Amino acid sequence: MDCRPACAACCIAPSITSPIPGMPDGKPAGVACVQLDETLRCRLFGRPERPAFCASLRPAEDMCGASRNAAFALLAHLERATAP
């Protein structure tokens, strides 16, 4: 599966606890990463500064669903299920 154009659910829905350039404390769930560009693409994709968490995400049906809205719902569910 390829990333859905203009989705960015994986850059908005989950919390990220590791530092991100421009977000030294990571980001809370539901907040857009500052590294998203105007077309909702990651400015750090393929670069060493990209957090390991982000690099570990791979588009798949169980994470992305059939639509952007489904991706947000699935990722929100995963966020709640893995919260401390």
Side-chain angles (χ1 to χ4, degrees), residues 5-31:
C7 178
C10 61
C11 302
I12 300 169
S15 59
I16 300 175
T17 58
S18 59
I20 302 165
M23 299 180 102
D25 298 321
K27 67 167 227 58
V31 172

Side-chain angles (χ1 to χ4, degrees), residues 36-83:
L36 281 175
D37 69 14
E38 56 282 342
T39 62
L40 298 178
R41 303 292 283 179
C42 178
R43 291 182 184 98
L44 299 178
F45 192 85
R47 297 181 60 173
E49 309 93 294
R50 188 173 181 217
F53 172 81
C54 301
S56 75
L57 295 174
R58 300 282 188 249
E61 187 67 29
D62 61 344
M63 184 176 80
C64 302
S67 68
R68 185 175 193 244
N69 287 340
F72 273 96
L74 289 164
L75 288 166
H77 172 75
L78 287 172
E79 182 72 26
R80 287 188 303 275
T82 60

